[in-house]
Amino acid sequence: MALADDKFMGLALEEGRQAYAKGEVPIGCVIVKDGEVIGRGHNLRETEKNPVAHAEVLAIQDAANRIGGWRLAGATLYVTVEPCPMCAGAIVLARIPRVVFAVMDPKGGAAGTCFNILESPWTNHRVSVISGVREGEARELMQSFFQRLRRK
């Protein structure tokens, strides 16, 4: 694992903790280009009452606004949980060449677990995928959230 991947996944985990504090599923995301964070996001579906307010979508929107364009070529997206099909589609459409995630999603992951949208030969853009970066921390954050939810 590259040192930069570890560092930037740490920032994605911070975003996930912000979601947790708001009662949201604790998924966080950052987008990095040339060593600088250009986009951030964490789940806000409950807060915004918006089904598409996923961490990745919000980070992509933030990055596009910051750079003034929708093509995020040369960027890496770091997310604490494997992207869902919607988010994987947004990643492909934004032309993000590299995704690093922490923990797989066995119920809907679209970066190789259930689907493989990011590396599909049927899309006009392929994404390099790295998984398992800081997996233990991300898994613990998710488990803690759902244990707390069940106790309520």
Side-chain angles (χ1 to χ4, degrees):
M1 169 178 46
L3 201 52
D5 288 347
D6 185 72
K7 171 188 169 184
F8 292 121
M9 185 59 73
L11 297 178
L13 284 161
E14 285 177 21
E15 288 290 327
R17 289 184 197 100
Q18 289 181 47
Y20 186 106
K22 294 174 182 173
E24 298 276 355
V25 175
I27 299 174
C29 180
V30 297
I31 300 175
V32 176
K33 185 172 182 180
D34 299 326
E36 304 253 344
V37 174
I38 61 168
R40 294 176 174 272
H42 54 269
N43 272 3
L44 290 174
R45 290 191 316 169
E46 300 298 330
T47 303
E48 294 186 0
K49 311 287 187 258
N50 180 349
V52 299
H54 287 209
E56 300 95 321
V57 169
L58 297 173
I60 289 168
Q61 289 174 333
D62 186 35
N65 287 336
R66 285 190 196 191
I67 69 163
W70 61 269
R71 287 179 186 88
L72 302 179
T76 298
L77 183 143
Y78 295 88
V79 63
T80 56
V81 176
E82 181 180 6
C84 72
M86 176 187 68
C87 293
I91 290 163
V92 168
L93 292 172
R95 308 296 193 269
I96 296 170
R98 185 169 181 263
V99 168
V100 179
F101 70 87
V103 64
M104 289 189 241
D105 178 359
K107 293 184 178 182
T113 300
C114 297
F115 311 97
N116 197 352
I117 293 169
L118 296 180
E119 297 173 312
S120 171
W122 295 287
T123 62
N124 63 344
H125 175 72
R126 309 286 178 294
V127 180
S128 169
V129 177
I130 296 173
S131 64
V133 176
R134 297 181 76 162
E135 180 179 2
E137 289 173 74
R139 185 177 312 287
E140 186 177 303
L141 184 62
M142 292 292 284
Q143 288 174 341
S144 172
F145 175 80
F146 285 109
Q147 285 170 356
R148 185 180 84 173
L149 200 60
R150 283 191 289 276
R151 282 194 297 267
K152 288 184 176 181

